[in-house]
Amino acid sequence: MLNKDAIIKAMLNAFPSVESFRNFKENDREISRKAIPVMIKFAFNHSIIDAATETSFAAFLEKNACHQDEKKLPQGLTFPDVLDKLAGHLSVNALIAKLEITARDMSLPEIQASMITRLKQKFVVNTPKKRALLRILAYKLALKYPDLGWNYELLLQLPASVDNRIAMVHETAGVTITFHLQGQGEIIFPPDVSWLRHELSDCIEYLRLENYISKKVIETVGATAFNLRSPKKPGPVDEPRLYNESIRNTLAIAHQMAARWLLSDFSNLRKKLIIVVHAGIFSEANPVLQRILETPLTGESGVYLTDFAHLCARYASVKVGFELYAKHSYPLTGYTGNLWLVNHFLSYSYYDYIPCLLEEKMLPRSTGASSYEDFKRSLHFPEQTGQTTFGAIRAMHRFPQSVLLLTEIAKVLRTRNMPYEADTVLANLLLSHPFNLVARLMRMLIYSNIAQTQTDFLSAKLAFERAEAEGEFIVANSRPESDIWHEIGVLNFSRALKYLQYLRDKNTARQRDLKIEDILQHLENAQKAFVKSMTVSATGKALNSLYMFGYTLCLLQLLSTDKKTPVKNNAAEVREVFKNVSTRVFRNIGWIRDDLATSDHKLEKTFQNLFLTINLVIARYDNLVLCRSNLPHMKYMFALILWDFAPVINPQICRITLEWLNLARREAEKLRKDNVSVYHVACGKISAEKFVEHVNNTIDVISRYVTETDLKEAEDPTQSRAGFAQLSGIKLMLLELDRTQTEPIILCA
């Protein structure tokens, strides 16, 4: 039986907006007059709407309208492709039989095979019956593939025929990635190769990359290898920035496949998956890749990049560590460049979970699961448990020194609130690799998370000190990477906020060992770390540290104004502090001029243009983060940054902020089924349910001051409504911090 959430997604896929519903009602009247009452009754019976009325149904669509800029159809997708996707292993007749059930349930016209045949030959949706069929297909696609997003309005954009596809520039260059199973003392069998092809296809779906890399372009190379190609953006072939999106996506696939192989039943120490990434002209890729694969490759991760691919990856700011594997060592093969090895993926925050590790046969779902105690015994006391039933532990026994495997297991345990078990897995890794950067960073985060959960101040202080010691060890023994300093900055920032919570607690026993100067010191430490993060970054303005730097400066100034009653400021003062800090920060990095006129209208106009630019910059980094636990907070922070550092709130800033908040909420909702927590800069991580509550509260705050009508009005700063003026004094980050406090941080407008 279908659950409520599945039906909601299906309805919204068939009617992505109120306008789509009205078009159905007005343009297809012979069908809609019978179908709409049935659909409304169906929605009411499943508790999707409060009343069995058209008004209630329209309100539901208005509230949950799909954003058309969120999803795009994959390049070259055609109507036959959509049918194949939905049919799976079914014949066309069997698919029609299934579609007919939905048509009858919704009082829609009978589906005829001849209609589908005509649409496959020429996709022209010019009759009510064809449009009804397309809505049924959209409905069924949402039920079978809820994250695909091929809704009715998108399906209307399908090309008229296979040979008449959407006009686009067909790039002859991009990123080519080869996956090669290599026997090292053992034969590669056909089932191994079948596994590789199946996992590649599944990986593209799992990472939601079908709009960028078609599964149809999985190319067989020899008996044991496959290629994937991802076109670059249009432009010169030797411009590295045009490869940003492609190189990020292919490295995300490389991360998934390298870990999936280690967790598969086909892998062992005598079989290796070699992955090589090439960037440049597609026709030149195969000879280079084949020649590289002919030489022995023994790097631990098994993931390698050619020279230009490495350069493109650095431009794309991928969260991957590289080391020079071989220098100009292949002249006889025809490739004379360097070869780079991936020595780590910063997967704890940037790359998605390995799907099989989220299954209970691999790891317990929660500390409340019946299997949790058995897992703990298997992990801590293997001599007393015998043969373990947990696939993750068996994989650890098979590859006890694999950095990638052990960090991926620890990552799942950490997100499921099993910090001590995650630390035990990392301890196994650090025995072999004591200076491993990812393991050390994860251990630092684990102790910070433990500190955030403590109600006792001295217990939290001890855990924070343990995390700080890990940070000092990392700095002393690793190259100074931007992400290291960023994480150390976040550690000090979150420590300051936790101490602020203790300081403002009315329990004087907690206050006895804590002073406001302690909080200011940790904020100053955070400020220095964020500056170092930006300094180490090649661009000089790492975005994640840039906005945290701004927030740190604001809190330092607000806390310093009155050390007896910290951060009890009125709205006008808060607004002035944020405006002054943001002006200084953006001047410092050259985003606004030093000689900028200070009159209100000119300053506000300049800032509005600036923040629209920032919104475009944010979009450029949209696929930098693919870790599902980080996506909700990333989109949430985009909303907070645009709002908090704007000198004035107008309808446009309001609309953009609400769009990001709704996106953040939808991303968080997807995490519930796997019991994955949400990363949170202020408190380490929180449950998806709690995060959604935070987002809803933020939306409610905005809704108290402005209405939907206000948001649709033309923008004119000289005629700003009172509601927008009041909202300009409310800073969302301070409201977010306030949710963990016992007193309000600010006096809102």
Side-chain angles (χ1 to χ4, degrees):
M1 183 174 178
L2 296 177
N3 61 42
K4 180 179 175 181
D5 288 342
I7 295 172
I8 288 175
K9 286 185 178 180
M11 281 286 188
L12 292 172
N13 228 40
F15 299 100
S17 65
V18 174
E19 186 63 28
S20 181
F21 176 67
R22 287 174 182 155
N23 286 340
F24 175 62
K25 180 182 176 182
E26 298 299 325
N27 298 337
D28 303 330
R29 292 189 180 187
E30 285 300 313
I31 295 173
S32 65
R33 65 185 178 84
K34 292 188 294 184
I36 286 177
V38 174
M39 293 176 183
I40 289 172
K41 184 179 179 181
F42 177 79
F44 177 71
N45 289 341
H46 286 84
S47 303
I48 293 171
I49 55 179
D50 298 327
T53 64
E54 191 173 315
T55 302
S56 183
F57 189 72
F60 155 74
L61 296 176
E62 180 75 37
K63 181 179 179 181
N64 299 281
C66 295
H67 294 266
Q68 290 305 309
D69 57 348
E70 287 180 42
K71 297 283 187 181
K72 296 178 181 178
L73 291 177
Q75 275 183 9
L77 186 77
T78 63
F79 182 69
D81 297 332
V82 173
L83 291 179
D84 290 343
K85 179 76 174 176
L86 196 53
H89 300 297
L90 297 176
S91 66
V92 174
N93 288 335
L95 174 63
I96 291 173
K98 283 186 170 292
L99 297 177
E100 262 294 294
I101 296 172
T102 302
R104 287 196 298 270
D105 289 344
M106 297 296 179
S107 274
L108 291 170
E110 177 187 357
I111 297 171
Q112 298 174 338
S114 57
M115 184 196 304
I116 289 181
T117 301
R118 287 195 297 273
L119 285 171
K120 287 173 73 174
Q121 293 169 346
K122 190 171 185 180
F123 185 75
V124 179
V125 186
N126 55 358
T127 67
K129 286 186 177 181
K130 289 179 181 178
R131 289 191 285 269
L133 169 63
L134 217 57
R135 292 194 192 274
I136 293 171
L137 291 174
Y139 183 91
K140 298 293 284 185
L141 280 167
L143 292 179
K144 190 170 183 180
Y145 303 103
D147 293 328
L148 198 59
W150 296 355
N151 62 47
Y152 171 78
E153 299 296 337
L154 285 177
L155 293 180
L156 284 175
Q157 300 171 23
L158 289 167
S161 70
V162 175
D163 297 323
N164 182 27
R165 302 191 175 197
I166 299 171
M168 58 172 290
V169 177
H170 290 281
E171 280 295 331
T172 58
V175 178
T176 303
I177 181 168
T178 292
F179 302 86
H180 173 59
L181 284 174
Q182 190 177 88
Q184 299 179 344
E186 188 163 328
I187 297 171
I188 301 299
F189 292 103
D192 302 327
V193 181
S194 296
W195 174 91
L196 179 58
R197 185 180 185 93
H198 174 270
E199 288 296 309
L200 271 175
S201 179
D202 181 76
C203 184
I204 293 169
E205 277 193 36
Y206 178 74
L207 293 177
R208 304 170 296 280
L209 295 178
E210 288 182 298
N211 295 343
Y212 308 98
I213 301 174
S214 171
K215 293 188 293 184
K216 289 185 174 182
V217 299
I218 297 177
E219 175 191 351
T220 302
V221 183
T224 60
F226 297 99
N227 278 355
L228 278 178
R229 303 187 193 278
S230 179
K232 67 176 183 62
K233 296 290 186 184
V237 70
D238 54 357
E239 172 51 68
R241 283 169 292 192
L242 299 178
Y243 294 79
N244 281 3
E245 189 176 81
S246 293
I247 198 76
R248 290 181 196 140
N249 288 339
T250 50
L251 282 172
I253 294 174
H255 163 260
Q256 278 281 322
M257 293 301 298
R260 289 184 185 208
W261 171 247
L262 296 173
L263 288 159
S264 77
D265 294 332
F266 297 97
S267 66
N268 61 49
L269 291 171
R270 295 181 300 280
K271 294 180 184 178
K272 192 157 189 176
L273 177 60
I274 304 295
I275 302 171
V276 186
V277 181
H278 173 276
I281 297 172
F282 287 139
S283 61
E284 296 177 357
N286 273 2
V288 171
L289 292 167
Q290 286 300 111
R291 288 162 185 162
I292 291 173
L293 288 170
E294 288 168 3
T295 62
L297 298 170
T298 58
E300 199 275 334
S301 73
V303 182
Y304 307 85
L305 286 83
T306 58
D307 245 348
F308 187 61
H310 171 253
L311 178 63
C312 294
R314 296 302 300 270
Y315 266 100
S317 301
V318 296
K319 302 305 179 180
V320 172
F322 300 102
E323 65 181 60
L324 184 60
Y325 180 75
K327 187 173 183 179
H328 301 296
S329 60
Y330 301 95
L332 296 179
T333 66
Y335 175 64
T336 58
N338 297 330
L339 195 63
W340 297 84
L341 172 70
V342 170
N343 58 25
H344 68 259
F345 290 92
L346 288 182
S347 66
Y348 61 86
S349 189
Y350 296 99
Y351 291 92
D352 210 354
Y353 299 93
I354 309 305
C356 71
L357 285 176
L358 298 175
E359 299 172 7
E360 283 200 89
K361 67 180 182 180
M362 302 296 285
L363 292 168
R365 178 177 169 79
S366 69
T367 55
S370 58
S371 60
Y372 174 64
E373 291 300 326
D374 291 338
F375 175 77
K376 280 207 305 183
R377 282 192 295 273
S378 296
L379 183 65
H380 294 290
F381 306 105
E383 70 278 6
Q384 297 182 13
T385 55
Q387 183 66 32
T388 180
T389 61
F390 295 98
I393 292 182
R394 290 200 302 274
M396 285 172 59
H397 293 164
R398 196 161 64 243
F399 301 103
Q401 296 179 315
S402 171
V403 172
L404 179 60
L405 176 65
L406 271 64
T407 53
E408 290 306 313
I409 292 171
K411 182 169 75 171
V412 175
L413 293 171
R414 175 174 169 254
T415 199
R416 287 180 167 171
N417 293 313
M418 303 176 200
Y420 303 104
E421 290 74 23
D423 191 39
T424 299
V425 173
L426 294 177
N428 292 337
L429 168 58
L430 291 169
L431 287 171
S432 303
H433 307 276
F435 302 108
N436 183 264
L437 174 61
V438 180
R440 290 289 177 182
L441 278 172
M442 286 183 69
R443 178 172 274 180
M444 184 181 81
L445 297 176
I446 284 169
Y447 278 101
S448 178
N449 294 157
I450 291 170
Q452 292 290 348
T453 63
Q454 303 302 310
T455 55
D456 174 63
F457 165 66
L458 293 177
S459 297
K461 183 172 181 284
L462 187 63
F464 275 127
E465 287 173 349
R466 184 70 176 81
E468 184 181 5
E470 286 292 337
E472 291 171 353
F473 183 91
I474 293 168
V475 171
N477 294 283
S478 302
R479 287 185 297 179
E481 295 187 18
S482 177
D483 290 291
I484 295 174
W485 287 113
H486 175 74
E487 295 293 1
I488 291 172
V490 170
L491 168 64
N492 281 281
F493 183 84
S494 60
R495 187 175 184 180
L497 300 185
K498 183 68 174 179
Y499 282 10
L500 179 61
Q501 179 183 355
Y502 286 130
L503 186 64
R504 297 171 64 215
D505 195 293
K506 297 186 183 299
N507 184 343
T508 54
R510 290 178 181 166
Q511 296 181 16
R512 190 170 53 210
D513 300 310
L514 187 61
K515 300 180 179 63
I516 185 64
E517 287 78 13
D518 298 324
I519 297 171
L520 292 171
Q521 183 60 58
H522 291 305
L523 285 173
E524 288 172 5
N525 292 343
Q527 175 189 342
K528 291 175 183 176
F530 291 133
V531 170
K532 288 178 180 177
S533 173
M534 290 185 285
T535 302
V536 173
S537 165
T539 63
K541 43 175 125 28
L543 287 183
N544 54 355
S545 291
L546 179 64
Y547 72 74
M548 288 305 303
F549 176 63
Y551 277 124
T552 304
L553 292 180
C554 290
L555 282 178
L556 272 168
Q557 189 166 336
L558 290 171
L559 279 167
S560 300
T561 55
D562 189 345
K563 294 184 179 180
K564 292 182 181 179
T565 55
V567 236
K568 247 190 135 158
N569 312 87
N570 61 42
E573 182 179 354
V574 168
R575 177 187 172 187
E576 193 66 19
V577 166
F578 272 77
K579 184 173 80 170
N580 291 338
V581 166
S582 59
T583 302
R584 294 179 195 128
V585 169
F586 292 133
R587 275 179 175 160
N588 187 260
I589 63 173
W591 284 6
I592 58 176
R593 300 193 315 273
D594 287 341
D595 59 346
L596 181 68
T598 56
S599 66
D600 280 346
H601 290 320
K602 288 185 178 179
L603 184 62
E604 288 170 4
K605 179 64 176 173
T606 298
F607 264 82
Q608 300 315 318
N609 292 336
L610 170 67
F611 281 102
L612 291 176
T613 301
I614 291 175
N615 208 36
L616 293 174
V617 171
I618 287 170
R620 180 180 294 168
Y621 289 91
D622 186 48
N623 72 327
L624 181 60
V625 176
L626 289 176
C627 183
R628 282 179 292 157
S629 61
N630 200 355
L631 284 173
H633 187 258
M634 182 184 73
K635 296 179 187 301
Y636 189 51
M637 285 305 301
F638 290 165
L640 267 60
I641 296 162
L642 288 168
W643 182 284
D644 288 346
F645 293 113
V648 65
I649 299 300
N650 60 21
Q652 187 175 29
I653 292 293
C654 247
R655 288 195 298 269
I656 295 172
T657 299
L658 288 170
E659 285 176 11
W660 281 119
L661 290 173
N662 283 314
L663 283 172
R665 180 168 57 188
R666 284 199 285 275
E667 292 291 350
E669 291 285 1
K670 298 174 185 176
L671 302 180
R672 296 190 183 195
K673 65 182 178 67
D674 289 321
N675 190 30
V676 170
S677 58
V678 179
Y679 167 79
H680 196 290
V681 73
C683 55
K685 57 186 177 61
I686 58 175
S687 68
E689 292 79 9
K690 194 70 176 175
F691 180 83
V692 169
E693 182 183 318
H694 284 206
V695 175
N696 288 337
N697 288 341
T698 303
I699 293 173
D700 290 343
V701 168
I702 297 173
S703 301
R704 285 180 215 152
Y705 294 90
V706 294
T707 65
E708 289 290 332
T709 303
D710 296 329
L711 296 178
K712 292 176 182 176
E713 289 185 359
E715 295 181 38
D716 185 351
T718 63
Q719 299 178 1
S720 180
R721 296 179 61 87
F724 291 112
Q726 290 175 299
L727 284 173
S728 295
I730 295 175
K731 300 304 174 184
L732 300 185
M733 174 59 91
L734 296 185
L735 292 181
E736 176 64 25
L737 304 182
D738 191 38
R739 295 188 178 104
T740 61
Q741 305 293 328
T742 53
E743 297 176 28
I745 285 183
I746 62 170
L747 301 177
C748 293

